[in-house]
Amino acid sequence: MTGLTLEPILRHAGIDLADALVIRHAYVEEHEDSGLRGIHADSTDAEILAYTNNQSANSRNFPATPPRFWIVFVREGGDRARLWSVMENRGEVSNDGVRRVFDLVESDSLSDLRRRLVIGWRLPRRWWMYGAAAASYPVMEIADAEPIPFPGFDRLVLDYSRLQAVMRDHRYASWRTALSSVVGIYLITDTRDGRQYVGKADGAESVRQRWSVYAINGHGGNVELRGLDPSTFRYSVLRVFDPSTPTSEIDAAESHFKRALDSRRHGLNRN
């Protein structure tokens, strides 16, 4: 990774250096300025989040107006720091004059590099800095991603960003294999208003092939979905069939679900 620094990685993720706070947590028994419990190697994501969103009210210890994006690393020995997550700061929710609590929401930014990206941390006594100060920090490693196990068709529910990841990210290879092996009936729900669209993949077109088109353009060529923002779509599978199943049987199942969900009158199906 010689020559690669943190700056182009943040810029590629759409994070402005001026709007970024880079944090490196260390494993400690308790927070040094508050006595609050620290984090350790087995801390859960919830515990790390609680540790992150609770900060000193003293502006010498933490920015009075922290930026929107917090890029959070955890120290893993020497000068190495491994990415935990990127959090979006939605603002301060409490301040008792000693401690401030922030509303932090996990961002999709750098999601494919969580627990994989390792940078060199040059100033061991500094645990936070603005994005511009950390921009030149070297990337020391980008580890291979752990595969994500396929949850099964009955538990498969994807938002649009996850659908796109499933279709391109090598961590989801087993998901693509499973979706390639079946045809069937699927459901798209627009979570803004609850309207639903019942669709099918049949003949020579697997569910993976059908969904890969949605991942590209959001509407899959369906007139009913054109002009809608796919970022609020949710995808799930209603029923799967072996690819050798007669088309007439799949058509009947599709009609059944359209009637059962009333997706013609109150949804997004036109026929």
Side-chain angles (χ1 to χ4, degrees), residues 150-158 174-185 207-208 211 235-241:
F150 181 64
F153 295 110
D154 290 342
R155 295 189 179 93
L156 187 64
V157 180
L158 308 175
S174 66
W175 298 44
R176 292 192 293 273
T177 298
L179 293 169
S180 295
S181 69
V182 297
V183 295
I185 312 301
V207 174
R208 174 188 175 179
W211 282 12
Y235 304 79
S236 57
V237 174
L238 295 174
R239 186 175 177 185
V240 296
F241 297 89

PDB file of all heavy atoms in Angstrom, residues 150-158 174-185 207-208 211 235-241:
ATOM      1  N   PHE A 150     -25.253 -16.252   3.176  1.00  0.00           N
ATOM      2  CA  PHE A 150     -26.594 -16.038   2.627  1.00  0.00           C
ATOM      3  C   PHE A 150     -27.626 -16.389   3.690  1.00  0.00           C
ATOM      4  O   PHE A 150     -27.572 -17.468   4.285  1.00  0.00           O
ATOM      5  CB  PHE A 150     -26.786 -16.912   1.386  1.00  0.00           C
ATOM      6  CG  PHE A 150     -28.124 -16.743   0.722  1.00  0.00           C
ATOM      7  CD1 PHE A 150     -28.481 -15.527   0.164  1.00  0.00           C
ATOM      8  CD2 PHE A 150     -29.024 -17.794   0.655  1.00  0.00           C
ATOM      9  CE1 PHE A 150     -29.712 -15.358  -0.459  1.00  0.00           C
ATOM     10  CE2 PHE A 150     -30.256 -17.647   0.040  1.00  0.00           C
ATOM     11  CZ  PHE A 150     -30.602 -16.421  -0.524  1.00  0.00           C
ATOM     12  N   PRO A 151     -28.608 -15.506   3.956  1.00  0.00           N
ATOM     13  CA  PRO A 151     -29.543 -15.737   5.056  1.00  0.00           C
ATOM     14  C   PRO A 151     -30.680 -16.697   4.730  1.00  0.00           C
ATOM     15  O   PRO A 151     -31.435 -17.091   5.613  1.00  0.00           O
ATOM     16  CB  PRO A 151     -30.102 -14.331   5.323  1.00  0.00           C
ATOM     17  CG  PRO A 151     -30.066 -13.668   3.981  1.00  0.00           C
ATOM     18  CD  PRO A 151     -28.813 -14.189   3.317  1.00  0.00           C
ATOM     19  N   GLY A 152     -30.820 -17.061   3.465  1.00  0.00           N
ATOM     20  CA  GLY A 152     -31.958 -17.875   3.057  1.00  0.00           C
ATOM     21  C   GLY A 152     -33.014 -17.004   2.409  1.00  0.00           C
ATOM     22  O   GLY A 152     -33.154 -15.821   2.724  1.00  0.00           O
ATOM     23  N   PHE A 153     -33.779 -17.580   1.485  1.00  0.00           N
ATOM     24  CA  PHE A 153     -34.774 -16.793   0.749  1.00  0.00           C
ATOM     25  C   PHE A 153     -35.862 -16.246   1.670  1.00  0.00           C
ATOM     26  O   PHE A 153     -36.388 -15.155   1.445  1.00  0.00           O
ATOM     27  CB  PHE A 153     -35.397 -17.648  -0.358  1.00  0.00           C
ATOM     28  CG  PHE A 153     -34.417 -18.042  -1.427  1.00  0.00           C
ATOM     29  CD1 PHE A 153     -34.008 -19.362  -1.553  1.00  0.00           C
ATOM     30  CD2 PHE A 153     -33.895 -17.096  -2.299  1.00  0.00           C
ATOM     31  CE1 PHE A 153     -33.102 -19.729  -2.536  1.00  0.00           C
ATOM     32  CE2 PHE A 153     -32.988 -17.456  -3.285  1.00  0.00           C
ATOM     33  CZ  PHE A 153     -32.581 -18.780  -3.406  1.00  0.00           C
ATOM     34  N   ASP A 154     -36.215 -16.993   2.719  1.00  0.00           N
ATOM     35  CA  ASP A 154     -37.288 -16.554   3.613  1.00  0.00           C
ATOM     36  C   ASP A 154     -36.894 -15.345   4.448  1.00  0.00           C
ATOM     37  O   ASP A 154     -37.761 -14.642   4.979  1.00  0.00           O
ATOM     38  CB  ASP A 154     -37.709 -17.693   4.551  1.00  0.00           C
ATOM     39  CG  ASP A 154     -38.435 -18.809   3.821  1.00  0.00           C
ATOM     40  OD1 ASP A 154     -38.909 -18.563   2.695  1.00  0.00           O
ATOM     41  OD2 ASP A 154     -38.523 -19.920   4.368  1.00  0.00           O
ATOM     42  N   ARG A 155     -35.591 -15.087   4.587  1.00  0.00           N
ATOM     43  CA  ARG A 155     -35.122 -13.968   5.410  1.00  0.00           C
ATOM     44  C   ARG A 155     -34.494 -12.857   4.568  1.00  0.00           C
ATOM     45  O   ARG A 155     -33.942 -11.913   5.122  1.00  0.00           O
ATOM     46  CB  ARG A 155     -34.084 -14.463   6.433  1.00  0.00           C
ATOM     47  CG  ARG A 155     -34.638 -15.432   7.471  1.00  0.00           C
ATOM     48  CD  ARG A 155     -33.606 -15.676   8.562  1.00  0.00           C
ATOM     49  NE  ARG A 155     -34.089 -16.564   9.596  1.00  0.00           N
ATOM     50  CZ  ARG A 155     -33.897 -17.872   9.597  1.00  0.00           C
ATOM     51  NH1 ARG A 155     -33.210 -18.441   8.609  1.00  0.00           N
ATOM     52  NH2 ARG A 155     -34.362 -18.623  10.573  1.00  0.00           N
ATOM     53  N   LEU A 156     -34.603 -12.969   3.287  1.00  0.00           N
ATOM     54  CA  LEU A 156     -33.925 -12.035   2.400  1.00  0.00           C
ATOM     55  C   LEU A 156     -34.744 -10.760   2.228  1.00  0.00           C
ATOM     56  O   LEU A 156     -35.794 -10.755   1.589  1.00  0.00           O
ATOM     57  CB  LEU A 156     -33.693 -12.696   1.036  1.00  0.00           C
ATOM     58  CG  LEU A 156     -32.835 -11.910   0.040  1.00  0.00           C
ATOM     59  CD1 LEU A 156     -31.421 -11.749   0.578  1.00  0.00           C
ATOM     60  CD2 LEU A 156     -32.812 -12.611  -1.302  1.00  0.00           C
ATOM     61  N   VAL A 157     -34.251  -9.655   2.800  1.00  0.00           N
ATOM     62  CA  VAL A 157     -34.865  -8.336   2.663  1.00  0.00           C
ATOM     63  C   VAL A 157     -33.726  -7.341   2.437  1.00  0.00           C
ATOM     64  O   VAL A 157     -32.840  -7.206   3.286  1.00  0.00           O
ATOM     65  CB  VAL A 157     -35.684  -7.935   3.910  1.00  0.00           C
ATOM     66  CG1 VAL A 157     -36.285  -6.556   3.713  1.00  0.00           C
ATOM     67  CG2 VAL A 157     -36.778  -8.964   4.208  1.00  0.00           C
ATOM     68  N   LEU A 158     -33.747  -6.652   1.298  1.00  0.00           N
ATOM     69  CA  LEU A 158     -32.655  -5.765   0.926  1.00  0.00           C
ATOM     70  C   LEU A 158     -33.161  -4.357   0.645  1.00  0.00           C
ATOM     71  O   LEU A 158     -34.160  -4.196  -0.059  1.00  0.00           O
ATOM     72  CB  LEU A 158     -31.963  -6.270  -0.352  1.00  0.00           C
ATOM     73  CG  LEU A 158     -31.498  -7.729  -0.405  1.00  0.00           C
ATOM     74  CD1 LEU A 158     -30.962  -8.039  -1.789  1.00  0.00           C
ATOM     75  CD2 LEU A 158     -30.438  -7.971   0.646  1.00  0.00           C
ATOM     76  N   SER A 174     -21.889 -15.817  -2.419  1.00  0.00           N
ATOM     77  CA  SER A 174     -22.837 -16.914  -2.177  1.00  0.00           C
ATOM     78  C   SER A 174     -24.280 -16.457  -2.378  1.00  0.00           C
ATOM     79  O   SER A 174     -25.140 -17.257  -2.765  1.00  0.00           O
ATOM     80  CB  SER A 174     -22.651 -17.480  -0.767  1.00  0.00           C
ATOM     81  OG  SER A 174     -23.006 -16.524   0.231  1.00  0.00           O
ATOM     82  N   TRP A 175     -24.561 -15.189  -2.149  1.00  0.00           N
ATOM     83  CA  TRP A 175     -25.900 -14.641  -2.379  1.00  0.00           C
ATOM     84  C   TRP A 175     -26.209 -14.664  -3.878  1.00  0.00           C
ATOM     85  O   TRP A 175     -27.302 -15.054  -4.294  1.00  0.00           O
ATOM     86  CB  TRP A 175     -26.001 -13.208  -1.870  1.00  0.00           C
ATOM     87  CG  TRP A 175     -25.783 -13.017  -0.405  1.00  0.00           C
ATOM     88  CD1 TRP A 175     -24.812 -13.577   0.371  1.00  0.00           C
ATOM     89  CD2 TRP A 175     -26.538 -12.179   0.476  1.00  0.00           C
ATOM     90  NE1 TRP A 175     -24.910 -13.144   1.667  1.00  0.00           N
ATOM     91  CE2 TRP A 175     -25.951 -12.287   1.755  1.00  0.00           C
ATOM     92  CE3 TRP A 175     -27.628 -11.343   0.290  1.00  0.00           C
ATOM     93  CZ2 TRP A 175     -26.444 -11.599   2.859  1.00  0.00           C
ATOM     94  CZ3 TRP A 175     -28.116 -10.635   1.378  1.00  0.00           C
ATOM     95  CH2 TRP A 175     -27.531 -10.762   2.661  1.00  0.00           C
ATOM     96  N   ARG A 176     -25.225 -14.243  -4.679  1.00  0.00           N
ATOM     97  CA  ARG A 176     -25.437 -14.233  -6.130  1.00  0.00           C
ATOM     98  C   ARG A 176     -25.630 -15.651  -6.662  1.00  0.00           C
ATOM     99  O   ARG A 176     -26.444 -15.880  -7.558  1.00  0.00           O
ATOM    100  CB  ARG A 176     -24.267 -13.535  -6.829  1.00  0.00           C
ATOM    101  CG  ARG A 176     -24.197 -12.037  -6.526  1.00  0.00           C
ATOM    102  CD  ARG A 176     -23.224 -11.331  -7.454  1.00  0.00           C
ATOM    103  NE  ARG A 176     -21.845 -11.725  -7.221  1.00  0.00           N
ATOM    104  CZ  ARG A 176     -21.045 -11.142  -6.328  1.00  0.00           C
ATOM    105  NH1 ARG A 176     -21.492 -10.157  -5.564  1.00  0.00           N
ATOM    106  NH2 ARG A 176     -19.793 -11.544  -6.190  1.00  0.00           N
ATOM    107  N   THR A 177     -24.882 -16.588  -6.099  1.00  0.00           N
ATOM    108  CA  THR A 177     -25.047 -17.983  -6.513  1.00  0.00           C
ATOM    109  C   THR A 177     -26.449 -18.471  -6.207  1.00  0.00           C
ATOM    110  O   THR A 177     -27.100 -19.113  -7.042  1.00  0.00           O
ATOM    111  CB  THR A 177     -24.015 -18.879  -5.800  1.00  0.00           C
ATOM    112  OG1 THR A 177     -22.692 -18.464  -6.170  1.00  0.00           O
ATOM    113  CG2 THR A 177     -24.208 -20.337  -6.173  1.00  0.00           C
ATOM    114  N   ALA A 178     -26.941 -18.162  -4.994  1.00  0.00           N
ATOM    115  CA  ALA A 178     -28.287 -18.598  -4.610  1.00  0.00           C
ATOM    116  C   ALA A 178     -29.348 -17.960  -5.503  1.00  0.00           C
ATOM    117  O   ALA A 178     -30.271 -18.636  -5.975  1.00  0.00           O
ATOM    118  CB  ALA A 178     -28.546 -18.248  -3.148  1.00  0.00           C
ATOM    119  N   LEU A 179     -29.214 -16.660  -5.758  1.00  0.00           N
ATOM    120  CA  LEU A 179     -30.194 -15.958  -6.578  1.00  0.00           C
ATOM    121  C   LEU A 179     -30.138 -16.398  -8.042  1.00  0.00           C
ATOM    122  O   LEU A 179     -31.130 -16.291  -8.765  1.00  0.00           O
ATOM    123  CB  LEU A 179     -29.985 -14.453  -6.475  1.00  0.00           C
ATOM    124  CG  LEU A 179     -30.272 -13.834  -5.100  1.00  0.00           C
ATOM    125  CD1 LEU A 179     -29.785 -12.390  -5.045  1.00  0.00           C
ATOM    126  CD2 LEU A 179     -31.743 -13.911  -4.755  1.00  0.00           C
ATOM    127  N   SER A 180     -28.987 -16.901  -8.458  1.00  0.00           N
ATOM    128  CA  SER A 180     -28.842 -17.383  -9.835  1.00  0.00           C
ATOM    129  C   SER A 180     -29.503 -18.745 -10.036  1.00  0.00           C
ATOM    130  O   SER A 180     -29.771 -19.137 -11.175  1.00  0.00           O
ATOM    131  CB  SER A 180     -27.359 -17.503 -10.212  1.00  0.00           C
ATOM    132  OG  SER A 180     -26.732 -16.248 -10.228  1.00  0.00           O
ATOM    133  N   SER A 181     -29.746 -19.441  -8.938  1.00  0.00           N
ATOM    134  CA  SER A 181     -30.215 -20.827  -9.032  1.00  0.00           C
ATOM    135  C   SER A 181     -31.731 -20.954  -9.093  1.00  0.00           C
ATOM    136  O   SER A 181     -32.244 -22.059  -9.240  1.00  0.00           O
ATOM    137  CB  SER A 181     -29.691 -21.626  -7.828  1.00  0.00           C
ATOM    138  OG  SER A 181     -30.310 -21.195  -6.617  1.00  0.00           O
ATOM    139  N   VAL A 182     -32.444 -19.823  -8.959  1.00  0.00           N
ATOM    140  CA  VAL A 182     -33.900 -19.890  -8.878  1.00  0.00           C
ATOM    141  C   VAL A 182     -34.557 -18.842  -9.773  1.00  0.00           C
ATOM    142  O   VAL A 182     -33.962 -17.820 -10.118  1.00  0.00           O
ATOM    143  CB  VAL A 182     -34.403 -19.694  -7.429  1.00  0.00           C
ATOM    144  CG1 VAL A 182     -33.913 -20.812  -6.523  1.00  0.00           C
ATOM    145  CG2 VAL A 182     -33.980 -18.329  -6.887  1.00  0.00           C
ATOM    146  N   VAL A 183     -35.802 -19.126 -10.125  1.00  0.00           N
ATOM    147  CA  VAL A 183     -36.703 -18.122 -10.682  1.00  0.00           C
ATOM    148  C   VAL A 183     -37.799 -17.938  -9.643  1.00  0.00           C
ATOM    149  O   VAL A 183     -37.843 -18.646  -8.639  1.00  0.00           O
ATOM    150  CB  VAL A 183     -37.293 -18.576 -12.031  1.00  0.00           C
ATOM    151  CG1 VAL A 183     -36.192 -18.685 -13.072  1.00  0.00           C
ATOM    152  CG2 VAL A 183     -38.026 -19.911 -11.890  1.00  0.00           C
ATOM    153  N   GLY A 184     -38.677 -16.967  -9.846  1.00  0.00           N
ATOM    154  CA  GLY A 184     -39.731 -16.829  -8.851  1.00  0.00           C
ATOM    155  C   GLY A 184     -40.399 -15.478  -8.818  1.00  0.00           C
ATOM    156  O   GLY A 184     -40.274 -14.660  -9.738  1.00  0.00           O
ATOM    157  N   ILE A 185     -41.111 -15.260  -7.708  1.00  0.00           N
ATOM    158  CA  ILE A 185     -41.895 -14.055  -7.503  1.00  0.00           C
ATOM    159  C   ILE A 185     -41.223 -13.214  -6.427  1.00  0.00           C
ATOM    160  O   ILE A 185     -40.833 -13.732  -5.373  1.00  0.00           O
ATOM    161  CB  ILE A 185     -43.337 -14.394  -7.058  1.00  0.00           C
ATOM    162  CG1 ILE A 185     -43.943 -15.469  -7.956  1.00  0.00           C
ATOM    163  CG2 ILE A 185     -44.197 -13.135  -7.046  1.00  0.00           C
ATOM    164  CD1 ILE A 185     -44.003 -15.106  -9.422  1.00  0.00           C
ATOM    165  N   VAL A 207     -33.608 -14.895 -10.730  1.00  0.00           N
ATOM    166  CA  VAL A 207     -33.847 -13.745  -9.851  1.00  0.00           C
ATOM    167  C   VAL A 207     -32.623 -12.831  -9.847  1.00  0.00           C
ATOM    168  O   VAL A 207     -32.747 -11.600  -9.865  1.00  0.00           O
ATOM    169  CB  VAL A 207     -34.196 -14.217  -8.426  1.00  0.00           C
ATOM    170  CG1 VAL A 207     -34.297 -13.021  -7.474  1.00  0.00           C
ATOM    171  CG2 VAL A 207     -35.506 -15.004  -8.419  1.00  0.00           C
ATOM    172  N   ARG A 208     -31.446 -13.429  -9.847  1.00  0.00           N
ATOM    173  CA  ARG A 208     -30.238 -12.591  -9.875  1.00  0.00           C
ATOM    174  C   ARG A 208     -30.202 -11.719 -11.124  1.00  0.00           C
ATOM    175  O   ARG A 208     -29.910 -10.511 -11.030  1.00  0.00           O
ATOM    176  CB  ARG A 208     -28.982 -13.461  -9.834  1.00  0.00           C
ATOM    177  CG  ARG A 208     -27.701 -12.634 -10.005  1.00  0.00           C
ATOM    178  CD  ARG A 208     -26.466 -13.476 -10.171  1.00  0.00           C
ATOM    179  NE  ARG A 208     -25.297 -12.647 -10.454  1.00  0.00           N
ATOM    180  CZ  ARG A 208     -24.074 -13.123 -10.633  1.00  0.00           C
ATOM    181  NH1 ARG A 208     -23.843 -14.421 -10.554  1.00  0.00           N
ATOM    182  NH2 ARG A 208     -23.078 -12.302 -10.891  1.00  0.00           N
ATOM    183  N   TRP A 211     -32.812  -8.918 -10.769  1.00  0.00           N
ATOM    184  CA  TRP A 211     -32.461  -7.915  -9.773  1.00  0.00           C
ATOM    185  C   TRP A 211     -31.214  -7.121 -10.157  1.00  0.00           C
ATOM    186  O   TRP A 211     -31.043  -5.979  -9.715  1.00  0.00           O
ATOM    187  CB  TRP A 211     -32.282  -8.577  -8.414  1.00  0.00           C
ATOM    188  CG  TRP A 211     -33.590  -8.884  -7.737  1.00  0.00           C
ATOM    189  CD1 TRP A 211     -34.828  -8.851  -8.293  1.00  0.00           C
ATOM    190  CD2 TRP A 211     -33.778  -9.251  -6.376  1.00  0.00           C
ATOM    191  NE1 TRP A 211     -35.790  -9.184  -7.364  1.00  0.00           N
ATOM    192  CE2 TRP A 211     -35.165  -9.446  -6.171  1.00  0.00           C
ATOM    193  CE3 TRP A 211     -32.908  -9.470  -5.307  1.00  0.00           C
ATOM    194  CZ2 TRP A 211     -35.704  -9.820  -4.942  1.00  0.00           C
ATOM    195  CZ3 TRP A 211     -33.432  -9.848  -4.072  1.00  0.00           C
ATOM    196  CH2 TRP A 211     -34.821 -10.011  -3.890  1.00  0.00           C
ATOM    197  N   TYR A 235     -36.485  -4.805  -1.273  1.00  0.00           N
ATOM    198  CA  TYR A 235     -36.659  -5.983  -2.115  1.00  0.00           C
ATOM    199  C   TYR A 235     -36.721  -7.251  -1.270  1.00  0.00           C
ATOM    200  O   TYR A 235     -35.918  -7.436  -0.352  1.00  0.00           O
ATOM    201  CB  TYR A 235     -35.493  -6.106  -3.108  1.00  0.00           C
ATOM    202  CG  TYR A 235     -35.301  -4.882  -3.979  1.00  0.00           C
ATOM    203  CD1 TYR A 235     -34.654  -3.749  -3.477  1.00  0.00           C
ATOM    204  CD2 TYR A 235     -35.782  -4.847  -5.271  1.00  0.00           C
ATOM    205  CE1 TYR A 235     -34.495  -2.615  -4.265  1.00  0.00           C
ATOM    206  CE2 TYR A 235     -35.623  -3.716  -6.072  1.00  0.00           C
ATOM    207  CZ  TYR A 235     -34.978  -2.605  -5.553  1.00  0.00           C
ATOM    208  OH  TYR A 235     -34.824  -1.482  -6.326  1.00  0.00           O
ATOM    209  N   SER A 236     -37.673  -8.122  -1.595  1.00  0.00           N
ATOM    210  CA  SER A 236     -37.782  -9.396  -0.895  1.00  0.00           C
ATOM    211  C   SER A 236     -38.313 -10.445  -1.866  1.00  0.00           C
ATOM    212  O   SER A 236     -38.806 -10.129  -2.950  1.00  0.00           O
ATOM    213  CB  SER A 236     -38.712  -9.276   0.329  1.00  0.00           C
ATOM    214  OG  SER A 236     -39.995  -8.825  -0.057  1.00  0.00           O
ATOM    215  N   VAL A 237     -38.188 -11.713  -1.472  1.00  0.00           N
ATOM    216  CA  VAL A 237     -38.632 -12.826  -2.307  1.00  0.00           C
ATOM    217  C   VAL A 237     -39.907 -13.407  -1.706  1.00  0.00           C
ATOM    218  O   VAL A 237     -39.973 -13.708  -0.515  1.00  0.00           O
ATOM    219  CB  VAL A 237     -37.541 -13.909  -2.396  1.00  0.00           C
ATOM    220  CG1 VAL A 237     -38.063 -15.135  -3.150  1.00  0.00           C
ATOM    221  CG2 VAL A 237     -36.299 -13.359  -3.080  1.00  0.00           C
ATOM    222  N   LEU A 238     -40.928 -13.557  -2.536  1.00  0.00           N
ATOM    223  CA  LEU A 238     -42.199 -14.130  -2.077  1.00  0.00           C
ATOM    224  C   LEU A 238     -42.236 -15.645  -2.271  1.00  0.00           C
ATOM    225  O   LEU A 238     -42.753 -16.374  -1.422  1.00  0.00           O
ATOM    226  CB  LEU A 238     -43.366 -13.480  -2.827  1.00  0.00           C
ATOM    227  CG  LEU A 238     -43.578 -11.989  -2.575  1.00  0.00           C
ATOM    228  CD1 LEU A 238     -44.676 -11.444  -3.484  1.00  0.00           C
ATOM    229  CD2 LEU A 238     -43.926 -11.730  -1.112  1.00  0.00           C
ATOM    230  N   ARG A 239     -41.708 -16.118  -3.399  1.00  0.00           N
ATOM    231  CA  ARG A 239     -41.716 -17.554  -3.663  1.00  0.00           C
ATOM    232  C   ARG A 239     -40.669 -17.872  -4.719  1.00  0.00           C
ATOM    233  O   ARG A 239     -40.501 -17.113  -5.680  1.00  0.00           O
ATOM    234  CB  ARG A 239     -43.093 -18.011  -4.140  1.00  0.00           C
ATOM    235  CG  ARG A 239     -43.220 -19.528  -4.293  1.00  0.00           C
ATOM    236  CD  ARG A 239     -44.636 -19.933  -4.654  1.00  0.00           C
ATOM    237  NE  ARG A 239     -44.737 -21.364  -4.880  1.00  0.00           N
ATOM    238  CZ  ARG A 239     -45.836 -21.989  -5.309  1.00  0.00           C
ATOM    239  NH1 ARG A 239     -46.948 -21.279  -5.542  1.00  0.00           N
ATOM    240  NH2 ARG A 239     -45.851 -23.285  -5.514  1.00  0.00           N
ATOM    241  N   VAL A 240     -39.965 -18.967  -4.533  1.00  0.00           N
ATOM    242  CA  VAL A 240     -38.957 -19.364  -5.516  1.00  0.00           C
ATOM    243  C   VAL A 240     -39.368 -20.676  -6.173  1.00  0.00           C
ATOM    244  O   VAL A 240     -40.084 -21.492  -5.576  1.00  0.00           O
ATOM    245  CB  VAL A 240     -37.555 -19.504  -4.877  1.00  0.00           C
ATOM    246  CG1 VAL A 240     -37.064 -18.169  -4.363  1.00  0.00           C
ATOM    247  CG2 VAL A 240     -37.543 -20.545  -3.769  1.00  0.00           C
ATOM    248  N   PHE A 241     -38.899 -20.858  -7.399  1.00  0.00           N
ATOM    249  CA  PHE A 241     -39.175 -22.058  -8.174  1.00  0.00           C
ATOM    250  C   PHE A 241     -37.882 -22.561  -8.802  1.00  0.00           C
ATOM    251  O   PHE A 241     -36.956 -21.780  -9.062  1.00  0.00           O
ATOM    252  CB  PHE A 241     -40.167 -21.766  -9.308  1.00  0.00           C
ATOM    253  CG  PHE A 241     -41.520 -21.321  -8.871  1.00  0.00           C
ATOM    254  CD1 PHE A 241     -41.789 -19.968  -8.672  1.00  0.00           C
ATOM    255  CD2 PHE A 241     -42.554 -22.234  -8.670  1.00  0.00           C
ATOM    256  CE1 PHE A 241     -43.047 -19.541  -8.293  1.00  0.00           C
ATOM    257  CE2 PHE A 241     -43.816 -21.813  -8.281  1.00  0.00           C
ATOM    258  CZ  PHE A 241     -44.062 -20.464  -8.089  1.00  0.00           C
TER     259      PHE A 241
END
